[in-house]
Amino acid sequence: MPPLGSLSQDLDRRDFDWYADKLVEILVFAGGFSAIILILGIFFFITREGLGFVFSSLDIVEFFTSPRWRPTSELNATYGAFALMAGTASITGMAMLIAVPFSIGAAVYIAEFAGPRSRETLKVLVELLAAIPSVVWGFIGLTLMNSLIIEVFDVPVGLNILNAGLILGLMAAPIMTTIAEDALKAVPDHYREAAEAMGATKWQVTRRVVIPAAKKGLAAAILLGVGRGFGETMAVLMASGHAINIPGSIFDSVRALTATIAAELGETAVGSEHYRALFTLGIFLFTITFVINLTADIIVRGTRKR
Amino acid sequence: MVAAPSTPPPVVEVNNLRIRYGKEVALQLDELSVVPNEIFGIIGPAGSGRTSFLKAVNRMDLFDRSMDVEGSIRFRGRDVRTWKNVYSLRRRIGVVFPLPVGLPLSVYDNVALAPRLSGVRAKSELNDIVERCLRRAALWDEVKDRLSSLGSLLSGGQQQRLTIARGLSQDPDLLMLDEFSIAVDPVTTMRIEDVLKELKQELTIILVTNLVQQARRLADRTAFFLGGRCIEIGATDAIFSGEVKDRRTTDYILGRFG
């Protein structure tokens, strides 16, 4: 046994490992904290550019109810965003009609029914699908889908809610599939075995045990898909027709909030009323996506507590 | 060795069974039969092939690609591997696993699952089944006021009794218990043991247990598995009074092992 004196020295000596540990702690803290700083920075930036306008000259009632978005009118510029909101909502709704059954179905197949080989293949392909740039999807909408819709449904214009919704649905489905599959995989195997040992068929196990157990994760997957739908810009801009319109059918062209910002921001003078009106749209979008993501996050957290 | 009473045909009949995982033989059983309305105890150390045996009877070997079953296991006179509808086979055989599996459903839905799978829809009938099975598993009094709370939130011992209730809710011909008392306190274990003795009137029970005394209390006949072989099968009384073919059986029972 070493003498007590040297032992107490040993206990107080800060060696290399101790410093390395502290250094890493500081680095990862900075990394984690930067996310908070960035989100606050973005929020500060868009509110600074848009909020003054909201309080000084924006007619809130007009913004939410009027379909007249005429920022460039010389005599009487109006900033009614209702048609843009309707455009975004209808495209997202259409996209979810397509993406939800596709992605949940794909996730159930990959997680529950597929053999190991087809599971691995499918997962790689789905992730590959998620990596296709949105401008490529937009291009497919603009050319392929456009002519296909005109031909099949015999309508004059193929750039409409159906087109943008289809494209957006196909874009959102892979990410939703991946998240939904993670949620299903998180259901422990002994639940499946217990249910199967009772004589439940694969589908009965899935429907009565696995899906109820994973329902919060599945809901989060769908909400993240909705968030994606609200935020997507380029593909929607190219496939929706970009016409201000309160839609009456899925064959009407519409314009989305995001596409409006992308298309108009480059042509406005910095600081002008139009410029600041676009930032107001940005605040609105930011708020909505923030709420959707927060909801998804709260739902997932609820699952973890269990 | 005491022969099984010869009149009724056996519920489970095993001939030249060999269970392998890859090249490793987990269990080699030349002959074994379980007769109706008996409790058939299986004792033996870990790795002696007891759980593999239960899995093979219930065709749970299908979950495990590496598990390979040869020979024949007949349930009610028919080789289990010739049942085309494996689900109907499993519905006749209840299994209770060593670790409790409260499915992430409500307590009620946990017990109502098996009847629902076999097509029971009437609410009153389901209520009856749920109450009867929970009472039998000695759990009713503790959960009757919270049937709608999650089964997976119950305590370990409660979940195990829930698992037993679920096994009973299938109304099985054969109930297989794999070390059911591992997560249950002694008092509850005794209550469940009393229930098993009663249940024997209606069904056949295979009881795999680590507790030698539990086999002694419950089993009509007991088999001793060791290293993937069945060393001994006989009337429990005989085995525990030292009438054995193989000395190792007595050594194991008395804890003189290794």
Side-chain angles (χ1 to χ4, degrees):
Chain A
M1 205 173 147
L4 197 63
S6 84
L7 176 68
S8 94
Q9 265 176 1
D10 255 12
L11 288 177
D12 280 338
R13 192 170 59 226
R14 292 173 173 174
D15 55 6
F16 175 77
D17 287 345
W18 191 91
Y19 286 109
D21 183 55
K22 280 283 167 248
L23 182 69
V24 169
E25 193 182 322
I26 291 165
L27 285 177
V28 292
F29 174 79
F33 212 68
S34 66
I36 300 175
I37 292 171
L38 282 173
I39 198 93
L40 286 177
I42 290 170
F43 187 71
F44 176 74
F45 173 67
I46 59 170
T47 42
R48 197 195 55 177
E49 296 292 334
L51 211 58
F53 176 71
V54 172
F55 288 120
S56 62
S57 44
L58 178 74
D59 180 346
I60 299 274
V61 177
E62 182 191 69
F63 183 77
F64 279 106
T65 59
S66 162
R68 278 185 291 279
W69 179 260
R70 288 189 195 127
T72 48
S73 165
E74 305 238 337
L75 290 171
N76 183 19
T78 53
Y79 300 99
F82 183 65
L84 309 179
M85 294 173 194
T88 289
S90 57
I91 293 169
T92 307
M94 183 77 214
M96 287 307 113
L97 279 182
I98 293 151
V100 169
F102 259 105
S103 58
I104 302 291
V108 166
Y109 178 73
I110 294 173
E112 304 298 319
F113 288 85
R117 188 167 296 171
S118 58
R119 169 179 308 155
E120 288 315 309
T121 319
L122 277 172
K123 280 179 78 164
V124 170
L125 287 179
V126 166
E127 273 154 33
L128 204 66
L129 213 56
I132 297 177
S134 64
V135 68
V136 174
W137 284 109
F139 185 68
I140 293 172
L142 201 58
T143 56
L144 192 72
M145 286 287 205
N146 185 21
S147 48
L148 207 65
I149 288 173
I150 292 175
E151 211 170 293
V152 173
F153 295 101
D154 194 25
V155 285
V157 187
L159 299 174
N160 48 30
I161 296 177
L162 179 65
N163 191 335
L166 271 167
I167 291 294
L168 195 56
L170 293 175
M171 283 178 71
I175 301 158
M176 291 165 70
T177 304
T178 305
I179 295 168
E181 195 233 326
D182 285 347
L184 294 172
K185 270 283 139 223
V187 177
D189 268 345
H190 60 254
Y191 289 157
R192 294 184 181 85
E193 285 187 12
E196 277 202 57
M198 293 167 69
T201 61
K202 214 137 205 165
W203 171 234
Q204 285 170 329
V205 173
T206 307
R207 189 167 74 90
R208 294 195 181 271
V209 178
V210 179
I211 290 181
K215 63 173 182 271
K216 294 193 165 185
L218 297 178
I222 292 170
L223 273 180
L224 285 173
V226 172
R228 175 87 209 255
F230 270 90
E232 176 51 39
T233 307
M234 186 46 78
V236 170
L237 173 65
M238 292 166 82
S240 66
H242 203 56
I244 295 177
N245 205 350
I246 296 206
S249 90
I250 57 166
F251 299 112
D252 285 346
S253 296
V254 289
R255 196 198 264 205
L257 289 162
T258 48
T260 305
I261 299 176
E264 294 180 2
L265 196 58
E267 301 162 9
T268 58
V270 173
S272 69
E273 208 169 63
H274 185 189
Y275 175 87
R276 290 189 296 164
L278 290 176
F279 270 91
T280 311
L281 293 183
I283 296 175
F284 180 67
L285 263 177
F286 185 84
T287 313
I288 288 186
T289 22
F290 184 73
V291 168
I292 290 172
N293 279 327
L294 197 68
T295 316
D297 200 51
I298 288 170
I299 288 177
V300 172
R301 256 169 230 283
T303 327
R304 277 200 213 114
K305 244 182 246 159
R306 284 269 153 92
Chain B
M1 180 173 149
V2 177
S6 57
T7 32
V11 178
V12 177
E13 204 179 0
V14 175
N15 276 304
N16 298 319
L17 177 70
R18 188 215 290 259
I19 301 174
R20 288 182 301 142
Y21 294 91
K23 282 193 171 147
E24 199 183 327
V25 177
L27 181 66
Q28 171 100 46
L29 264 185
D30 300 333
E31 214 186 342
L32 187 151
S33 59
V34 179
V35 297
N37 303 96
E38 76 168 332
I39 297 182
F40 187 85
I42 302 178
I43 56 173
S48 57
R50 300 171 302 167
T51 303
S52 298
F53 172 63
L54 299 190
K55 281 187 176 173
V57 174
N58 200 19
R59 300 253 33 220
M60 284 186 283
D61 53 307
L62 292 174
F63 299 145
D64 190 342
R65 277 158 197 273
S66 65
M67 186 170 167
D68 197 16
V69 180
E70 297 158 27
S72 94
I73 301 175
R74 286 137 81 88
F75 176 69
R76 293 234 170 271
R78 188 165 157 194
D79 192 314
V80 291
R81 271 173 300 163
T82 66
W83 290 59
K84 289 208 180 64
N85 188 343
V86 64
Y87 309 111
S88 81
L89 170 74
R90 288 186 188 145
R91 279 174 198 167
R92 285 159 207 270
I93 303 176
V95 193
V96 175
F97 298 97
L99 290 175
V101 183
L103 294 175
L105 309 169
S106 73
V107 170
Y108 185 96
D109 289 341
N110 258 284
V111 186
L113 180 62
R116 279 181 178 144
L117 291 178
S118 54
V120 178
R121 289 281 171 275
K123 188 78 186 155
S124 61
E125 197 178 339
L126 285 175
N127 288 344
D128 287 348
I129 295 173
V130 168
E131 180 170 348
R132 189 178 71 235
C133 296
L134 284 173
R135 277 190 192 285
R136 280 184 162 174
L139 186 60
W140 174 255
D141 290 332
E142 287 164 56
V143 298
K144 65 177 179 224
D145 297 323
R146 45 176 180 146
L147 291 174
S148 57
S149 69
L150 265 187
S152 43
L153 292 181
L154 296 177
S155 77
Q158 289 173 329
Q159 282 195 40
Q160 187 61 304
R161 284 176 279 156
L162 182 64
T163 314
I164 293 172
R166 217 172 48 216
L168 296 175
S169 71
Q170 287 172 255
D171 197 13
D173 299 344
L174 172 67
L175 184 62
M176 304 196 295
L177 299 138
D178 192 355
E179 291 170 32
F180 76 90
S181 55
I182 207 167
V184 185
D185 68 275
V187 177
T188 312
T189 302
M190 287 304 173
R191 283 163 75 189
I192 297 172
E193 286 187 8
D194 290 340
V195 172
L196 293 179
K197 281 184 223 158
E198 267 173 50
L199 279 174
K200 193 166 86 159
Q201 319 289 332
E202 301 161 32
L203 46 83
T204 309
I205 296 171
I206 298 179
L207 174 78
V208 166
T209 179
N210 271 340
L211 306 172
V212 178
Q213 293 307 321
Q214 188 171 60
R216 183 179 205 169
R217 288 192 295 270
L218 290 179
D220 298 295
R221 291 190 302 144
T222 298
F224 174 50
F225 283 19
L226 179 65
R229 291 266 175 182
C230 180
I231 302 290
E232 190 94 38
I233 300 182
T236 305
D237 295 341
I239 287 187
F240 279 85
S241 60
E243 292 171 38
V244 292
K245 282 189 307 179
D246 195 309
R247 259 201 57 206
R248 285 175 293 179
T249 311
T250 309
D251 287 350
Y252 182 74
I253 288 170
L254 297 178
R256 289 195 303 240
F257 218 74

